[in-house]
Amino acid sequence: MSKRTLQKLFLSIVAISLIIPISAFATSKNTTEDTMEAPTFENASVHDPSVIKVDETYYVFGSHLAAAKSNDLMKWEQVANGVSSNNPLFEDVVKELKETFDWAQSDTLWAADVIQLEDGKFYMYYNACKGDSPRSALGVAVADSVEGPYKDLGIIIKSGMWNQTSEDGTIYDARIHPNAVDPDVFFDKDGKLWMMYGSYSGGIFIMEMDPETGKPLPGQGYGKKLLGGNHSRIEGAYVLYSPETDYYYMYLSFGGLDAVGGYNMRVVRSENPDGPYYDAQGNDMINVKADPSLPIFDDKSIEPYGVKVMGNHLFDRKIGDEGTGIGTGYISPGHNSAYYDPETGEHFLIFHTRFPQTGEMHEIRVHQMFMNKDGWPVVAPYRYAGEELEKVYREDIIGDYKMINHGKDISAEIKKTVDITLAKNNKITGDVTGTWKKTDHNSAELIIDGRTFKGVFLRQWDPTSETYVMTFSTLSQEGIAVWGSKVPTKTDKEIVADVEADLNIGDTTAVINNLELPTEGTRDAVISWSSSNADVVTDTGIITRPAAGSDPAEATLTATIQKGSETTTKVFTISVLPAKASGEIAHYSFNGDLTDSLGNLTAGTVTGNRIDNTTGYISYTEGKSGNAAVFNGDSGVRLPNGLISSNSYSVALWLKPEQLTAFTTTFFGARDANNWVSLVPMGPVGNQTMIWSGTTWYDAVTGMTIPAGEWTHLAFTVNEGQISVYVNGEEKFNKDGFPNVFTTTNGTFGLGVNWWDTPYKGLIDELHVYEGSLTAEQVAELSK
């Protein structure tokens, strides 16, 4: 179904929707938690997802020519990914969009948008851009099917023509002219077709389009400016008309898109598709731009504007809480699209997000939205799980909650929860104070620190506790979102017992690194520690390892858990292993097998395309010295667990890649899926050969990419956080701050494979692993 067809359906229900409260549109699927089944999710990765519904299927299209589809907004199937000749959305996108790539001086496609026009065909608005530069080209392609293949109709607008005449006839100036990226093409309620676009540089612009050709009407230049400028970090504009309020809502992303960029989603609204757009405080967004006197990407100037509906956050799971893991939350959620269902009156927010402790990995997420009493969208705290807005009862609301205040800042800070109670007397107590009340069947109104927050109460699926819980989502007139998620009400005695049962400091039978001793449990329970022998382990977790060759040393740590007047203790026996003597740990020469020639460790084992399966095949051929192992691109080698178990070590090996693929590992070691070290011939920073760590996302780059088809010697040494990386015996990187990854004796190690990426294809020979950091002279000797 096209956006225009949807628009016509919108108009047919406008009159009804404006006079009937939202609660009248929804009924309860389930009346008790006992009858509610756990939802099923399947995830896909599409950066900058733009949604279109065709028949009963939702499609999202995004950057890097990625696409996915779903029938329920919960289970997603990847349709396409990657700008290559094999992408099914084009017969050969590399050849077909050559003019676009040549202009942009890039082979990267950014956020795409697809719409169905009156001729029944599907029009994809694509764009290529040279990184952070405004050198961009935006074009359109057409297909008979939403899944393609699309045929190019040509570039429709360009940007970044430095010191040359631009699309509007004036000399291009990146501070005032737009970057031709991030298109959103939509019909307004009167049937006119528009394209909103733009990003950093000159801001967000809008143009009227020809609904027959799908191209801009002539004579508009760059169109009409709506907001931004002076390189404001504002992008990803997407417009959704709501017949419920008769407003056009423009969703935007402020900040930087990576895991430390503080990406967050905001919304403004207008009575007209081409503005002016205002935020909840009445600010005209045309005035929003960065201060040209401040450094580029000045976020402070734009922070106060727009209604911030979601940013970095974590419903953190503390010790003693239900469930497992760290909790549920997002990092840099943004570049969203939105969808309105004319049959149910439901609004949905569709976006990509990263996650706490997982670096740059991102996935699609969908959250339901609701219009509050002031006509602003509030976003449900948890991902959509098929819930419907229903009548809620006061007694189901009363109780304890984890609360998140999203604020208005643009920051890498993760907003974590505070503990509050919505009391029977309509008071809010706990870490914040105020009052609360339920209005209508499900409307929420909270007053906190003199600010009034309006929104909804909604029962949702909490993925951490894996239960359905009461939530609230509210918004202040200042444009600040506050969320809450209900937790079971418990006595102090129950809280202390829960913390005791959940308290765990890891494997204490073979300790080799300082221990992290938590001091806080759920509901502000306090945990204190005492040691039986500070010479072995202190009451802050600092260990002293016995000398190499000695026996392990033992001590006990006692945790005292207190909440109010309730107290209990829990004792842990600690065994600290002696230090290791420096020297070579293992040498794999690959002379026809996977044995350690030193005899210290067991032989490696063959894996399939992932480090934890066993379906592959390794052969041998002439190598750098004797034979070498042949990796066929579908197989790898699992090395013995615990190969490295300290923060001082060295690794050296010879590589002869047959091909170079992004993120492919050669040597890989991990404490777990969130803490790892990977030697990648073509890494995420400019395709450079590098050591990459997912523990704190550390990039140890070499300034080069090793060649395919040739032997190269690579080595790296780590000495208590100081890392050096060598290519053919020459030091290419030296810096401190490298994370301490191998803090256990049971780490996972492999060659050519990890848990995620394309396996290595090529040869590996002469792998040496050492306890301790080799000198530059020793590395140079190995490279001869």
Side-chain angles (χ1 to χ4, degrees):
M1 184 179 294
S2 71
K3 290 184 180 178
R4 186 166 189 179
T5 302
L6 288 174
Q7 187 63 68
K8 291 176 179 178
L9 288 174
F10 294 165
L11 295 176
S12 68
I13 64 171
V14 168
I16 296 174
S17 65
L18 290 175
I19 61 174
I20 298 178
I22 190 169
S23 57
F25 285 104
T27 58
S28 172
K29 287 182 179 178
N30 305 284
T31 56
T32 68
E33 291 182 11
D34 293 338
T35 62
M36 299 172 76
E37 296 182 357
T40 300
F41 301 103
E42 294 176 10
N43 299 318
S45 179
V46 176
H47 211 268
D48 315 322
S50 180
V51 67
I52 179 174
K53 188 177 184 184
V54 182
D55 298 324
E56 296 305 312
T57 302
Y58 301 90
Y59 288 85
V60 291
F61 296 85
S63 291
H64 313 297
L65 208 58
K69 62 183 178 180
S70 173
N71 291 324
D72 59 5
L73 298 174
M74 297 162 57
K75 296 183 288 292
W76 290 93
E77 176 187 346
Q78 200 83 34
V79 172
N81 194 22
V83 182
S84 73
S85 300
N86 298 322
N87 192 298
L89 296 177
F90 284 80
E91 289 185 359
D92 188 338
V93 70
V94 176
K95 293 180 180 178
E96 196 151 354
L97 300 189
K98 183 178 185 304
E99 181 186 5
T100 300
F101 296 135
D102 287 349
W103 172 264
Q105 301 170 8
S106 170
D107 59 359
T108 300
L109 289 175
W110 294 110
D113 185 51
V114 174
I115 187 171
Q116 188 176 21
L117 298 185
E118 288 188 339
D119 60 6
K121 296 182 178 181
F122 296 89
Y123 290 74
M124 175 188 287
Y125 292 82
Y126 61 81
N127 55 107
C129 180
K130 186 181 179 181
D132 288 334
S133 165
R135 180 79 176 189
S136 306
L138 193 161
V140 60
V142 65
D144 294 325
S145 167
V146 68
E147 294 191 29
Y150 286 84
K151 297 291 184 182
D152 186 34
L153 297 179
I155 297 171
I156 60 177
I157 193 167
K158 297 177 179 178
S159 62
M161 54 284 287
W162 301 104
N163 299 317
Q164 298 177 22
T165 302
S166 68
E167 301 279 6
D168 67 359
T170 64
I171 299 300
Y172 186 81
D173 184 341
R175 296 169 299 175
I176 61 174
H177 288 129
N179 190 358
V181 295
D182 297 354
D184 170 39
V185 182
F186 64 97
F187 285 102
D188 67 17
K189 65 180 181 180
D190 298 319
K192 286 185 177 181
L193 186 65
W194 302 86
M195 181 177 75
M196 193 171 288
Y197 74 102
S199 181
Y200 298 10
S201 303
I204 306 299
F205 286 64
I206 191 167
M207 305 175 72
E208 189 173 351
M209 309 290 281
D210 185 337
E212 294 186 2
T213 66
K215 296 184 177 182
L217 293 175
Q220 297 182 83
Y222 281 120
K224 179 182 178 181
K225 181 177 178 177
L226 298 176
L227 61 93
N230 294 333
H231 302 288
S232 304
R233 295 209 297 178
I234 303 174
E235 64 181 16
Y238 191 93
V239 176
L240 180 68
Y241 173 75
S242 174
E244 185 175 320
T245 63
D246 199 26
Y247 279 112
Y248 295 89
Y249 293 89
M250 186 205 304
Y251 293 88
L252 300 157
S253 292
F254 282 35
L257 62 85
D258 60 11
V260 296
Y263 222 37
N264 64 94
M265 290 178 284
R266 306 199 181 202
V267 65
V268 294
R269 72 185 184 189
S270 175
E271 296 177 349
N272 304 296
D274 59 344
Y277 281 85
Y278 299 91
D279 65 14
Q281 292 178 288
N283 295 307
D284 188 339
M285 297 300 289
I286 193 63
N287 299 317
V288 178
K289 57 186 175 183
D291 186 338
S293 68
L294 296 176
I296 194 169
F297 299 156
D298 158 43
D299 288 338
K300 289 299 179 183
S301 295
I302 63 174
E303 256 184 9
Y305 299 98
V307 171
K308 184 179 176 184
V309 295
M310 188 191 300
N312 290 359
H313 69 277
L314 177 64
F315 283 102
D316 49 330
R317 194 192 80 85
K318 294 183 173 68
I319 298 169
D321 283 335
E322 287 74 13
T324 59
I326 64 171
T328 299
Y330 300 149
I331 297 294
S332 290
H335 205 128
N336 68 282
S337 56
Y339 180 78
Y340 177 81
D341 190 324
E343 297 180 1
T344 65
E346 294 172 321
H347 296 76
F348 294 97
L349 189 72
I350 301 101
F351 56 98
H352 74 254
T353 186
R354 290 154 175 80
F355 304 90
Q357 297 185 0
T358 61
E360 300 299 331
M361 185 273 288
H362 56 84
E363 292 177 343
I364 303 163
R365 286 294 182 268
V366 179
H367 284 228
Q368 196 168 176
M369 295 187 293
F370 309 93
M371 294 297 167
N372 73 3
K373 294 288 188 181
D374 294 330
W376 288 99
V378 294
V379 180
Y382 293 119
R383 71 187 298 186
Y384 177 66
E387 71 274 355
E388 295 182 0
L389 196 63
E390 60 187 12
K391 182 176 181 179
V392 298
Y393 295 92
R394 191 173 185 274
E395 57 268 28
D396 293 330
I397 297 170
I398 295 168
D400 297 335
Y401 287 77
K402 291 177 179 285
M403 190 194 88
I404 286 175
N405 184 331
H406 284 274
K408 288 292 288 286
D409 57 324
I410 301 171
S411 168
E413 175 192 0
I414 299 174
K415 307 292 187 183
K416 294 185 179 180
T417 54
V418 297
D419 297 321
I420 67 167
T421 298
L422 302 188
K424 291 181 180 179
N425 62 359
N426 289 98
K427 299 289 187 182
I428 300 174
T429 60
D431 291 330
V432 302
T433 58
T435 61
W436 72 273
K437 64 180 178 180
K438 178 177 82 78
T439 61
D440 297 334
H441 289 306
N442 42 46
S443 297
E445 184 174 305
L446 281 61
I447 299 177
I448 302 172
D449 296 331
R451 289 176 171 163
T452 300
F453 296 81
K454 297 179 183 179
V456 298
F457 290 107
L458 174 72
R459 191 178 299 278
Q460 283 200 282
W461 174 258
D462 171 9
T464 299
S465 65
E466 296 187 332
T467 58
Y468 287 92
V469 299
M470 184 63 68
T471 70
F472 62 78
S473 177
T474 61
L475 195 69
S476 73
Q477 191 171 4
E478 294 80 14
I480 298 171
V482 166
W483 293 350
S485 178
K486 194 176 183 184
V487 295
T489 300
K490 295 187 176 182
T491 65
D492 288 353
K493 185 175 183 178
E494 290 172 325
I495 291 170
V496 167
D498 287 344
V499 173
E500 179 191 10
D502 194 32
L503 183 58
N504 184 357
I505 57 174
D507 182 7
T508 61
T509 63
V511 176
I512 60 174
N513 278 275
N514 295 335
L515 299 170
E516 293 186 10
L517 302 182
T519 58
E520 181 184 1
T522 185
R523 321 292 176 91
D524 296 322
V526 175
I527 307 170
S528 57
W529 297 86
S530 61
S531 171
S532 66
N533 188 344
D535 292 334
V536 176
V537 57
T538 70
D539 55 12
T540 59
I542 306 301
I543 68 164
T544 300
R545 296 183 71 173
S550 302
D551 293 329
E554 291 194 352
T556 59
L557 283 172
T558 301
T560 300
I561 305 158
Q562 184 174 2
K563 171 67 175 174
S565 60
E566 297 292 335
T567 301
T568 193
T569 59
K570 188 170 186 177
V571 178
F572 298 87
T573 299
I574 312 299
S575 180
V576 178
L577 297 185
K580 285 187 175 182
S582 295
E584 190 165 9
I585 298 171
H587 171 213
Y588 292 90
S589 59
F590 306 114
N591 285 324
D593 57 34
L594 299 176
T595 60
D596 167 25
S597 66
L598 302 179
N600 293 334
L601 301 177
T602 59
T605 56
V606 179
T607 75
N609 64 351
R610 296 292 181 264
I611 200 169
D612 52 2
N613 63 33
T614 57
T615 58
Y617 176 74
I618 294 291
S619 59
Y620 303 90
T621 190
E622 182 179 355
K624 188 66 179 176
S625 175
N627 287 337
V630 180
F631 292 73
N632 60 15
D634 290 309
S635 306
V637 171
R638 179 76 176 257
L639 299 172
N641 286 358
L643 175 65
I644 300 171
S645 58
S646 75
N647 197 23
S648 183
Y649 53 91
S650 303
V651 177
L653 74 171
W654 284 95
L655 296 178
K656 186 179 182 181
E658 182 178 332
Q659 63 185 30
L660 298 175
T661 50
F663 311 148
T664 291
T665 190
T666 52
F667 178 86
F668 180 79
R671 181 166 79 237
D672 51 46
N674 295 320
N675 299 273
W676 46 263
V677 171
S678 184
L679 172 57
V680 284
M682 191 168 79
V685 181
N687 293 333
Q688 296 178 68
T689 301
M690 58 188 286
I691 302 297
W692 189 24
S693 175
T695 305
T696 58
W697 295 96
Y698 192 107
D699 301 323
V701 296
T702 61
M704 61 173 292
T705 305
I706 66 169
E710 298 180 19
W711 281 107
T712 302
H713 189 262
L714 297 178
F716 66 99
T717 66
V718 176
N719 185 18
E720 302 296 332
Q722 188 79 26
I723 182 171
S724 294
V725 185
Y726 299 84
V727 179
N728 291 327
E730 181 181 349
E731 187 178 71
K732 297 292 185 179
F733 183 92
N734 185 300
K735 195 174 181 180
D736 60 8
F738 194 72
N740 184 9
V741 176
F742 305 116
T743 60
T744 72
T745 58
N746 198 38
T748 300
F749 295 86
L751 298 174
V753 287
N754 55 28
W755 288 297
W756 316 283
D757 298 307
T758 302
Y760 173 72
K761 189 172 186 179
L763 307 183
I764 296 181
D765 201 4
E766 293 298 313
L767 169 67
H768 294 268
V769 182
Y770 297 85
E771 176 71 22
S773 177
L774 296 180
T775 65
E777 292 75 17
Q778 289 172 315
V779 172
E781 187 66 27
L782 289 172
S783 70
K784 292 179 179 179

